[in-house]
Each structure stands twice: as structure tokens, then as C-alpha cells.
Amino acid sequence: MKRLIAYSLIATIIFSVTVGNTPALSQSKASGLPMAKPEEVGMSSERLARVRVAMQRYVDKGLVPGVVTLVARRGKVVHLEAIGSRDVENKQPMTTDTIVRMASMTKPIASVALMMLYEEGHFLLGDPIAKFLPEFTNMKVAVPATGDDRIGVPYKLVPAARPITFKHVLTHTAGFANSYRGITLPEFTKNFQQARKPNDTIGDAVKRLAMLPLNFHPGDAWEYGNATDVVGRLVEVISGMTLDEYLQKKIFEPLKMTDTHFYLPQSKLNRFAAVYQPDEKNGSKIKLLEAPTAESRYVKEPHVYFSGAGGLVSTAADYVRFHQMMLNGGELYGARILGRKTVELMTANHTGNLP
């Protein structure tokens, strides 16, 4: 929970959307989103009013400084509201256009980018990623040491039973070392997280990840982690663009996601939220982790590290555009991002009963 609070969105975005044909839309001046009265799309104004009351409890208890909530149905936004503060120290209120760190909500966008390249025929889901990232050739898996192994060895290495495929990295079944569990955790901390340098690119980070042993054989289990950094790097290698360039050109511009960036322009700092974490010495209260200033790592240069696993900043309005595109079967504003059958493929269960 601590990690979730520290790295998740300050703004909580709540979506309740039904796919369907959308008639002529009225536009909100504030967000540019199609708006409707709740009753026009089969929802209740009275019951939606409970959202603010519930979110206010989180603010009053000191669990979060502020919240943005957005509810939409049938392509229409029926509730968009902000409460609390985006910057407690400077007494700045949360607004519906506040820009927040998207953290792992970056992952669906990076994954869509790779599937756009899949639609262009660059690879099959069963292809080894080593076809484009040779550093992932001949991977090793860490397995617990036995009594026959040298004393003090935390694990031993065995060859991976099969290559890492595109499907593995898109479904978190590749077995990559990660930041929260597994016998490779110390090596991940030292050789991936702590080894990062100021001018590193995601390509540098992915090469370091490839040097670490896997936690299990690809396809044998499910474990959440940095796989989507590899997804983002694959987008770069296959497209010949940085992940930043690809997302801007192929997704953000067509979907009118004008406030979504890897690095926030300083001209938008007046809408940037601070980020907080639990205060261990003060019960359930929070304390400042990073101020919304030009010194934030999401603002300051060098602008060279584009993490598909958690690098974007955005707004509730921008992110609902992305999700409405998916709910529409891959299209929004006349811009087709994905084919309908690809969206169906992406939203099917590909991990079955894996542990």
C-alpha cells in the first residue's frame, strides 16, 4: 500500500463507461469532453453526488491531499469534479485540469503503441523479443540453491526453458527481476535501480535488466514488474522513434491528449500536482515526496529517459480520451488507433490459471 500511495496518481479517476454509438455531443468548455446530464445516459444525479462525499472522507482523514473524479457513460461525461489540494504546502487547490504523475497508468498506453506495430505486421506475439533486442538471447533463470551447491550461494542459474516472447512481455509472464519480490531482488536493486545514471535512456536500462537472471521460466507464472519498459523499448527499436516521439505522433495528437507528456513543459507547472507518501511517524497522515517545481524529475532535463512502465504525466480529461478510444473499439474523434479485433485480443485473458 505504501508503494501504491507513493507512486500512484494523486488524482483518482473513476470511469463508468458503456460502449455504444454517440450522437451529437455538447462540449464542456473546461475539459473539451462531451458532457451530458446523468439522467440523459441512464444515471442518477442524486447518487453521483455521493462520489464527492466519499472522496472528501479520504481528504479529511489525511490519506490524500486531493482527488479528481470523472464518471462517463455512453461516451458522455456526467461527473467531473475536484476536491482538496494539489499542493498542500502552497495552498493550491486541486482542479479538474490538474496534471498528475500517471505512474503505472503509462503501461496501457505503451502496450497500445506496441500493438499498433503488431497491426503493421512487424512481429507475431509468439516471436522472441531477441529478434529486436539481442541482449535477451540465452537468458538464465535463478533457482534456489540446494544442499549440493556451494555454501552461501543464494541461487544457481539454469538456462531458460524457452525464449521471452512479445506475448510474455505484454502479459507480465517473462519472469523479469523486479523491485518487490523474488530471490533476485538484491541484484535488481543494485544493478537496475541504483545503477541508473542521469543521462541514461530506457535502452540503457533494458540492457541492464537483460543482464539479470529471471525469477522463473518465461510463460510459467505471472508477476507484475518492469516488463512494460521492455515493451516501450521494443516500440523504439521497431519504429525508429523514441517512445516519446511515437506516443505523441501516433496516440496523443490524434486523440487530442494535449496535456500528456513524459516531461512537463515549464509553462504548465501552475497545474502540476505535488506527490506525497505516508508519514510513518504520523499514523495515516501523508508527507511531501516531491514538490511540483522545475526540479521535479518529471520536468528537469535531460529529457532522455522514456519509461513505458511508468513515466507519463496527464490529466483526467486526457486519460478518459484514451480509455474511450479503447471502449469504442480503437477509434475516437475519427482517428483509428487500433482495429476492433485487436482491442478484443488485448482485453481477453491470456494468462489463464498461471500462478
Side-chain angles (χ1 to χ4, degrees), residues 95-115:
T95 57
T96 56
D97 64 348
T98 290
I99 298 171
V100 300
R101 298 153 187 79
M102 286 183 64
S104 287
M105 298 302 95
T106 304
K107 290 182 172 71
I109 298 177
S111 298
V112 161
L114 188 58
M115 292 304 291

mmCIF file of all heavy atoms in Angstrom, residues 95-115:
data_model
loop_
_atom_site.group_PDB
_atom_site.id
_atom_site.type_symbol
_atom_site.label_atom_id
_atom_site.label_comp_id
_atom_site.label_asym_id
_atom_site.label_seq_id
_atom_site.Cartn_x
_atom_site.Cartn_y
_atom_site.Cartn_z
ATOM 1 N N THR A 95 -7.708 21.072 -9.120
ATOM 2 C CA THR A 95 -8.648 21.477 -10.158
ATOM 3 C C THR A 95 -8.847 20.311 -11.121
ATOM 4 O O THR A 95 -8.043 19.379 -11.166
ATOM 5 C CB THR A 95 -8.116 22.696 -10.937
ATOM 6 O OG1 THR A 95 -6.824 22.377 -11.483
ATOM 7 C CG2 THR A 95 -7.991 23.912 -10.022
ATOM 8 N N THR A 96 -9.904 20.365 -11.902
ATOM 9 C CA THR A 96 -10.181 19.243 -12.801
ATOM 10 C C THR A 96 -9.132 19.104 -13.895
ATOM 11 O O THR A 96 -9.025 18.046 -14.520
ATOM 12 C CB THR A 96 -11.569 19.393 -13.446
ATOM 13 O OG1 THR A 96 -11.647 20.660 -14.110
ATOM 14 C CG2 THR A 96 -12.662 19.284 -12.393
ATOM 15 N N ASP A 97 -8.339 20.165 -14.143
ATOM 16 C CA ASP A 97 -7.285 20.079 -15.154
ATOM 17 C C ASP A 97 -5.899 19.941 -14.527
ATOM 18 O O ASP A 97 -4.883 20.171 -15.196
ATOM 19 C CB ASP A 97 -7.328 21.276 -16.102
ATOM 20 C CG ASP A 97 -7.042 22.603 -15.400
ATOM 21 O OD1 ASP A 97 -7.030 22.632 -14.150
ATOM 22 O OD2 ASP A 97 -6.831 23.610 -16.113
ATOM 23 N N THR A 98 -5.842 19.561 -13.261
ATOM 24 C CA THR A 98 -4.556 19.326 -12.612
ATOM 25 C C THR A 98 -3.812 18.201 -13.327
ATOM 26 O O THR A 98 -4.399 17.190 -13.727
ATOM 27 C CB THR A 98 -4.749 18.952 -11.135
ATOM 28 O OG1 THR A 98 -5.213 20.118 -10.420
ATOM 29 C CG2 THR A 98 -3.452 18.469 -10.492
ATOM 30 N N ILE A 99 -2.509 18.387 -13.495
ATOM 31 C CA ILE A 99 -1.657 17.399 -14.161
ATOM 32 C C ILE A 99 -0.964 16.561 -13.095
ATOM 33 O O ILE A 99 -0.334 17.103 -12.188
ATOM 34 C CB ILE A 99 -0.626 18.086 -15.070
ATOM 35 C CG1 ILE A 99 -1.356 18.870 -16.178
ATOM 36 C CG2 ILE A 99 0.341 17.075 -15.668
ATOM 37 C CD1 ILE A 99 -0.448 19.765 -16.993
ATOM 38 N N VAL A 100 -1.105 15.248 -13.201
ATOM 39 C CA VAL A 100 -0.566 14.333 -12.190
ATOM 40 C C VAL A 100 0.366 13.317 -12.832
ATOM 41 O O VAL A 100 0.336 13.092 -14.043
ATOM 42 C CB VAL A 100 -1.701 13.584 -11.452
ATOM 43 C CG1 VAL A 100 -2.622 14.557 -10.741
ATOM 44 C CG2 VAL A 100 -2.487 12.718 -12.426
ATOM 45 N N ARG A 101 1.199 12.704 -12.001
ATOM 46 C CA ARG A 101 2.073 11.618 -12.456
ATOM 47 C C ARG A 101 1.209 10.383 -12.673
ATOM 48 O O ARG A 101 0.532 9.931 -11.753
ATOM 49 C CB ARG A 101 3.146 11.345 -11.404
ATOM 50 C CG ARG A 101 4.068 12.530 -11.159
ATOM 51 C CD ARG A 101 4.634 12.490 -9.742
ATOM 52 N NE ARG A 101 5.390 13.695 -9.419
ATOM 53 C CZ ARG A 101 4.850 14.854 -9.067
ATOM 54 N NH1 ARG A 101 3.525 14.973 -8.995
ATOM 55 N NH2 ARG A 101 5.610 15.890 -8.787
ATOM 56 N N MET A 102 1.278 9.815 -13.853
ATOM 57 C CA MET A 102 0.407 8.690 -14.168
ATOM 58 C C MET A 102 0.936 7.360 -13.658
ATOM 59 O O MET A 102 0.208 6.370 -13.647
ATOM 60 C CB MET A 102 0.178 8.601 -15.671
ATOM 61 C CG MET A 102 -0.757 9.658 -16.193
ATOM 62 S SD MET A 102 -1.073 9.457 -17.949
ATOM 63 C CE MET A 102 -1.891 7.884 -17.983
ATOM 64 N N ALA A 103 2.208 7.322 -13.281
ATOM 65 C CA ALA A 103 2.790 6.089 -12.764
ATOM 66 C C ALA A 103 2.480 4.929 -13.708
ATOM 67 O O ALA A 103 2.625 5.046 -14.920
ATOM 68 C CB ALA A 103 2.306 5.830 -11.338
ATOM 69 N N SER A 104 1.984 3.814 -13.161
ATOM 70 C CA SER A 104 1.777 2.614 -13.974
ATOM 71 C C SER A 104 0.606 2.736 -14.946
ATOM 72 O O SER A 104 0.409 1.847 -15.776
ATOM 73 C CB SER A 104 1.580 1.399 -13.065
ATOM 74 O OG SER A 104 2.803 1.037 -12.467
ATOM 75 N N MET A 105 -0.175 3.820 -14.872
ATOM 76 C CA MET A 105 -1.195 4.038 -15.899
ATOM 77 C C MET A 105 -0.565 4.365 -17.254
ATOM 78 O O MET A 105 -1.261 4.467 -18.266
ATOM 79 C CB MET A 105 -2.142 5.163 -15.476
ATOM 80 C CG MET A 105 -2.926 4.883 -14.200
ATOM 81 S SD MET A 105 -3.955 3.393 -14.267
ATOM 82 C CE MET A 105 -2.886 2.170 -13.517
ATOM 83 N N THR A 106 0.777 4.511 -17.256
ATOM 84 C CA THR A 106 1.520 4.620 -18.512
ATOM 85 C C THR A 106 1.497 3.294 -19.271
ATOM 86 O O THR A 106 1.527 3.273 -20.506
ATOM 87 C CB THR A 106 2.978 5.014 -18.219
ATOM 88 O OG1 THR A 106 3.012 6.235 -17.466
ATOM 89 C CG2 THR A 106 3.787 5.199 -19.490
ATOM 90 N N LYS A 107 1.460 2.186 -18.552
ATOM 91 C CA LYS A 107 1.599 0.861 -19.161
ATOM 92 C C LYS A 107 0.567 0.566 -20.255
ATOM 93 O O LYS A 107 0.933 0.061 -21.321
ATOM 94 C CB LYS A 107 1.548 -0.221 -18.069
ATOM 95 C CG LYS A 107 2.775 -0.261 -17.160
ATOM 96 C CD LYS A 107 2.660 -1.379 -16.143
ATOM 97 C CE LYS A 107 3.932 -1.595 -15.347
ATOM 98 N NZ LYS A 107 4.204 -0.514 -14.382
ATOM 99 N N PRO A 108 -0.726 0.837 -20.042
ATOM 100 C CA PRO A 108 -1.687 0.560 -21.125
ATOM 101 C C PRO A 108 -1.374 1.339 -22.407
ATOM 102 O O PRO A 108 -1.571 0.823 -23.509
ATOM 103 C CB PRO A 108 -3.027 0.993 -20.522
ATOM 104 C CG PRO A 108 -2.832 0.902 -19.047
ATOM 105 C CD PRO A 108 -1.405 1.291 -18.816
ATOM 106 N N ILE A 109 -0.877 2.565 -22.270
ATOM 107 C CA ILE A 109 -0.582 3.379 -23.452
ATOM 108 C C ILE A 109 0.617 2.812 -24.202
ATOM 109 O O ILE A 109 0.591 2.685 -25.433
ATOM 110 C CB ILE A 109 -0.352 4.848 -23.044
ATOM 111 C CG1 ILE A 109 -1.626 5.422 -22.412
ATOM 112 C CG2 ILE A 109 0.072 5.679 -24.242
ATOM 113 C CD1 ILE A 109 -1.489 6.846 -21.920
ATOM 114 N N ALA A 110 1.679 2.448 -23.485
ATOM 115 C CA ALA A 110 2.846 1.853 -24.131
ATOM 116 C C ALA A 110 2.476 0.537 -24.803
ATOM 117 O O ALA A 110 2.970 0.211 -25.895
ATOM 118 C CB ALA A 110 3.962 1.638 -23.112
ATOM 119 N N SER A 111 1.590 -0.235 -24.168
ATOM 120 C CA SER A 111 1.183 -1.515 -24.738
ATOM 121 C C SER A 111 0.363 -1.322 -26.012
ATOM 122 O O SER A 111 0.500 -2.085 -26.973
ATOM 123 C CB SER A 111 0.387 -2.320 -23.703
ATOM 124 O OG SER A 111 1.194 -2.597 -22.569
ATOM 125 N N VAL A 112 -0.495 -0.305 -26.028
ATOM 126 C CA VAL A 112 -1.238 0.020 -27.245
ATOM 127 C C VAL A 112 -0.268 0.375 -28.366
ATOM 128 O O VAL A 112 -0.441 -0.038 -29.523
ATOM 129 C CB VAL A 112 -2.235 1.172 -26.984
ATOM 130 C CG1 VAL A 112 -2.672 1.828 -28.295
ATOM 131 C CG2 VAL A 112 -3.452 0.651 -26.231
ATOM 132 N N ALA A 113 0.780 1.137 -28.035
ATOM 133 C CA ALA A 113 1.762 1.518 -29.057
ATOM 134 C C ALA A 113 2.398 0.289 -29.692
ATOM 135 O O ALA A 113 2.549 0.213 -30.930
ATOM 136 C CB ALA A 113 2.837 2.408 -28.431
ATOM 137 N N LEU A 114 2.758 -0.698 -28.873
ATOM 138 C CA LEU A 114 3.366 -1.906 -29.430
ATOM 139 C C LEU A 114 2.364 -2.683 -30.277
ATOM 140 O O LEU A 114 2.719 -3.235 -31.321
ATOM 141 C CB LEU A 114 3.921 -2.783 -28.311
ATOM 142 C CG LEU A 114 4.759 -3.985 -28.768
ATOM 143 C CD1 LEU A 114 5.946 -3.537 -29.612
ATOM 144 C CD2 LEU A 114 5.232 -4.805 -27.577
ATOM 145 N N MET A 115 1.109 -2.708 -29.848
ATOM 146 C CA MET A 115 0.100 -3.425 -30.627
ATOM 147 C C MET A 115 -0.226 -2.709 -31.945
ATOM 148 O O MET A 115 -0.662 -3.347 -32.910
ATOM 149 C CB MET A 115 -1.162 -3.633 -29.797
ATOM 150 C CG MET A 115 -0.976 -4.601 -28.632
ATOM 151 S SD MET A 115 -0.353 -6.224 -29.125
ATOM 152 C CE MET A 115 -1.784 -6.865 -30.010
#
